[in-house]
Amino acid sequence: MTGTFSQQAHVRVAIIGGGPSGLRAAAELAGLVDGEVLVIERESAAGGIPRHCAHTGFGIRDLGRSMSGPAYARRLTERAVRAGARVMTSSMVTGWAGERALEVTSPAGRMIVQADVVILATGARERPQPARLIPGARSAGVLTSGELQGLVHLDGRRFGGRAVVVGSELVSWSAVLTLREAGCRTVAMATQAEQREAYGLVGALGRLALRVPVLTSTRVTRVLGQQAVTGVEVEAIDSGERRIIDCEIVVFSADWIPDSELARAAGLRMDAMSKAPVVDTALRTSRPGVFAIGNLLHPVDTADIAALDGAAVVSHVMAFLGGSSMSSDSIDLIAQEPFRWIAPARLRMDARTPPRGRLLAWSDERRYLPTIVATQAGRVIGSVRSPWPCVPGRVFRIPVRVLSGADPAGGPITIGLR
Amino acid sequence: MSGTLAWVPPGTWPSPDQVYDVTVVGAGLVGAAIARALAGYELSVAILDARDDVGDGTSKANTAILHTGFDATPGTLESRLVRRGYDLLSAYARECGIPVEPTGAVLVAWDDEQQAALPGLRAKASANGYQRTSLIDADEVYAMLPHLGPGVRAGLTVPDESVTCTWTTSLALATDAVRRGAHLLLGAEVLAVDVTGAPARDGDPHDAWTAIRTTRGSIRTRWLVNAAGLGSDHVDRMMGFDRFTITPRKGELLVFDKQSRPLARHIVLPVPSKAGKGVLISPTVYGNLMVGPTAQDIDDRTDTSTTEAGFAFLRDKLAALMPALQDEEITATYAGLRAATEHADYVVDVDANRRYAVAGGIRSTGLTACMAIAEHLIGLVQETGLLEMRERNDLPDAPAMPNLGEAFLRPYQDADRIAADPEYGHVICFCERVTAGEIRDALAATIPPTTLGGLRRRTRVMNGRCQGFFCGAQVRAMLDAAGRDRS
């Protein structure tokens, strides 16, 4: 424990993070749980990343309609509050005071919140320039798309000039739209992938409507400028040829990493590749009574998928609160190339179904009509042909039925492609 | 004299008729320490700096180690001033609340040559007046630093090496100087100096003054003190000397995520060998681990960009030094420039004829030595008998600096402080846990920041792993609002 405390509280369920997954979990649990469901949100308003995503497309899978990010954030917050959950904003969990006890700092004071269940829903963020080890200047004009959206959509800033966007995922196109709103022209998008990463339709619309040249198989090797950005140096990966693109803004988009500081501080078992806490198909971490949901687990899928994690965790939380016996009967799921990680990464034999019946995976290669293969002790226990391609830069979804032949005593299961 | 016109905001300029007793060129660690000490006498003092903030040149990017001076060359001025400076700055840090974390250091030998050098380094430490080193074997090294890579041969412990905050130190010294009445003139690059414009009339040197022309205007001064860091050779030449040339030596550093901090609880120092100085791994006072620096002589005195080659070199070293650290996320990368000269020692000198003093060639040890350099230089000025120096008895207290050290209670952890002022409970920067109260205080301080970089150095805001992903927009808005309020 660090620091001093003026208050203590006990709640039935503490949810850390008031984004789509945390708010959805709160909305459902508040009506079921005997006791308080508390959402602890460190921003001044709940809603998470969608709060500063002005474009539409939110809510399709979970609410059955498409709406803008801010509208979606408001809707999720209202539902949680109306269901009886307490949403505490400008409140940050800064550490652990026990197995399920949290140190919380807020303008109302420094307190310890003791909970029967803790749900980690802390989301993910983009790696900034230094974390990508891109050298050059530390200049004004270097942003992540998260910061860019905050500047333009929350703070109403306008600036002209030219921008280069690093990445070509969905969020990268969102950054292009945001730049346009700010009066800034995107002169290039640069991606290391051999083909564009975003969903085909979005990419095609983006290229045509926004007229942004996408440089594939290209990496940014340097940011130029001393006080302010004057350009970026890019390298064509195949030829090694380098050139300079003049610009005043560089947006480092995507390259997501979970905000897993609290998970790691708790000493939870972590996935070395995704850097997320390891959960089983019931979304349980390695500490009893501590669950994890949302893009903290799978950096990153869309907001509605994150929200549906929040719906899926409810029955498992209720089972834990009801004192149902916790079988430790579970099997590790190991990602095999081209997969970098798989979440959940453990199959629990008494709760085999992950959210939406799908395991989520990240692929480093593009494959069309892939066949997913599960192997246990050298034996193929299942295979599923996917109609969807797997593409670097977006989450690939694997039907859990590929594991239907799992032997509880058969040891770890490897999941890969054929 | 005290505090009538302290901080001189951008856009204003002292009257052309005013003649300062002393003008210090350079508001880095050394210049600020000199100005602060001078302002302790009944003198009018100005501080000029080319940049828009104090401590914004070579002072802001170093390894931030408070050195015992154990490895200096015995008998040099640097050896003496580092030793003295360690005591002076340690005491001043306690007074002002500059964070100092006593981590201790271990010199680690990885081969025969390095192992053979350890007893000599111990003797050198002793010759420098530092007696608390110990030779330890490989097992003892691993007991202290279990995550070092394989192949450690032996070590030498230096228990009093500490880590501190170079930003808070320069800001504290400059704030103290300003509160004592010194005028701080920022954004004023020295263009020319005219010593002969008003030669001493009737042989009375007290009447003589030097004209300094800067990018913001001219000022007059009786004495000029050159603490211009990377520009100190230029100013020295303007004063008519040709005795040293600065060759900026770029040092690149990698700062790792706070979650890596348990991997090294002490500073891991390289043993200097034929292959070069090697790189160190050091805890930072902010709770990170840092690896570096590189050492590359360059021409451009403004080039603080990081390089592919620098990163590759550091990654390569790290693979051998501490393999586990390679898997950790990198929070920040930066490059600092050391003001290296062709001389092995500091250049601290006084010229009575020109009423001029210089502190040049101050390398990275200058953080530790700065207050001793000030003391030594002022002593030399005093010896000329040309500057009347009466100590003041009306000095304000040393400034109470906000704590940026992770090892000490920070506002977000302090229930009483939050109860008294809820703004200290409103965390704005999540990664570094910087509160709205701290940002507000920094923006209203004696020397407020005018740039994002300045605000970052005063509060740690946006310095963490997300580099502004979450709080960047809000922090910029707060900085801009404060700027509007001032203008």
Side-chain angles (χ1 to χ4, degrees), chain A residues 4 105 147 242 264 275, chain B residues 308 327-328 412-413 415 476:
Chain A
T4 56
T105 292
E147 185 175 4
R242 293 188 175 187
R264 192 163 165 193
K275 306 210 173 192
Chain B
E308 255 178 310
D327 299 331
E328 299 290 339
Y412 84 88
Q413 300 170 313
R476 284 170 208 263

Side-chain angles (χ1 to χ4, degrees), chain B residues 43-60:
Chain B
L43 297 170
S44 60
V45 178
I47 320 168
L48 290 178
D49 200 285
R51 304 189 65 100
D52 294 326
D53 199 1
V54 301
D56 195 33
T58 191
S59 298
K60 78 179 172 191

Side-chain angles (χ1 to χ4, degrees), chain B residues 23-227:
Chain B
T23 295
V24 180
V25 180
L29 286 159
V30 175
I34 293 169
R36 171 191 166 275
L38 287 169
Y41 298 92
E42 289 183 8
L43 297 170
S44 60
V45 178
I47 320 168
L48 290 178
D49 200 285
R51 304 189 65 100
D52 294 326
D53 199 1
V54 301
D56 195 33
T58 191
S59 298
K60 78 179 172 191
N62 54 51
T63 50
I65 295 174
L66 187 59
H67 289 292
T68 56
F70 79 96
D71 63 346
T73 305
T76 57
L77 183 62
E78 183 181 19
S79 160
R80 182 156 62 89
L81 296 183
V82 170
R83 191 91 192 97
R84 170 76 177 148
Y86 183 92
D87 294 336
L88 289 175
L89 187 56
S90 297
Y92 190 63
R94 282 190 293 275
E95 217 181 324
C96 303
I98 299 167
V100 176
E101 196 176 339
T103 55
V106 185
L107 275 110
V108 178
W110 298 87
D111 59 30
D112 287 344
E113 185 203 343
Q114 292 176 5
Q115 189 172 357
L118 291 180
L121 284 164
R122 184 157 197 269
K124 195 178 189 183
S126 189
N128 281 318
Y130 184 72
Q131 313 298 345
R132 280 164 41 84
T133 60
S134 313
L135 289 162
I136 57 175
D137 64 23
D139 289 346
E140 291 168 300
V141 173
Y142 283 118
M144 293 179 78
L145 294 156
H147 297 282
L148 286 177
V152 170
R153 304 289 282 274
L156 178 73
T157 61
V158 191
D160 299 293
E161 296 276 293
S162 305
V163 297
T164 184
C165 175
T166 187
W167 306 325
T168 306
T169 306
S170 42
L171 185 62
L173 292 165
T175 299
D176 211 348
V178 167
R179 290 199 187 161
R180 289 175 171 196
H183 292 180
L184 178 62
L185 305 165
L186 295 172
E189 184 178 351
V190 174
L191 298 171
V193 175
D194 186 1
V195 204
T196 57
R201 282 184 207 95
D202 309 325
D204 181 359
H206 293 98
D207 278 347
W209 46 263
T210 296
I212 306 172
R213 190 159 62 82
T214 82
T215 46
R216 278 185 63 196
S218 294
I219 68 168
R220 297 173 179 182
T221 186
R222 293 187 178 86
W223 276 78
L224 189 155
V225 175
N226 173 6

Side-chain angles (χ1 to χ4, degrees), chain A residues 185-217:
Chain A
R185 190 162 59 90
T186 303
V187 292
M189 293 174 90
T191 175
Q192 297 200 36
E194 289 168 24
Q195 294 173 51
R196 287 170 294 275
E197 294 149 326
Y199 297 81
L201 185 65
V202 174
L205 281 173
R207 283 194 320 283
L208 294 172
L210 301 170
R211 296 173 191 276
V212 177
V214 181
L215 310 174
T216 54
S217 297

Side-chain angles (χ1 to χ4, degrees), chain A residues 2-6 42-43 49 90 92 94 105-107 109-110 125-128 130-131 133-138 143-144 146-147 150-151 155 157 219 226-227 242 257 259-261 264 275, chain B residues 51 254 259 302-308 311 315 327-334 409 412-416 418 422 425-427 430 433 456 462 465-470 472-473 476-477 480:
Chain A
T2 49
T4 56
F5 298 87
S6 56
R42 58 193 188 176
E43 297 278 4
I49 300 283
S90 298
M92 180 171 174
T94 62
T105 292
S106 81
R110 173 89 166 150
R125 60 190 158 79
E126 296 165 302
R127 281 191 178 85
L133 265 188
I134 294 175
R138 283 157 61 90
L143 303 168
T144 50
E147 185 175 4
L151 287 168
D155 211 29
R157 297 222 180 203
R219 67 187 188 106
Q226 283 295 340
Q227 300 295 324
R242 293 188 175 187
I257 179 165
D259 234 340
S260 55
E261 183 184 15
R264 192 163 165 193
K275 306 210 173 192
Chain B
R51 304 189 65 100
L254 304 177
Q259 293 170 114
T302 62
D303 178 12
T304 54
S305 62
T306 51
T307 64
E308 255 178 310
F311 288 172
R315 299 286 296 179
D327 299 331
E328 299 290 339
E329 292 285 317
I330 289 173
T331 290
T333 61
Y334 66 92
L409 191 68
Y412 84 88
Q413 300 170 313
D414 187 342
D416 293 340
I418 297 168
H426 186 185
V427 181
F430 307 137
R433 282 105 189 254
R456 292 170 72 146
M462 287 174 74
R465 57 176 71 95
C466 93
Q467 295 281 304
F469 176 92
F470 291 111
R476 284 170 208 263
D480 291 354

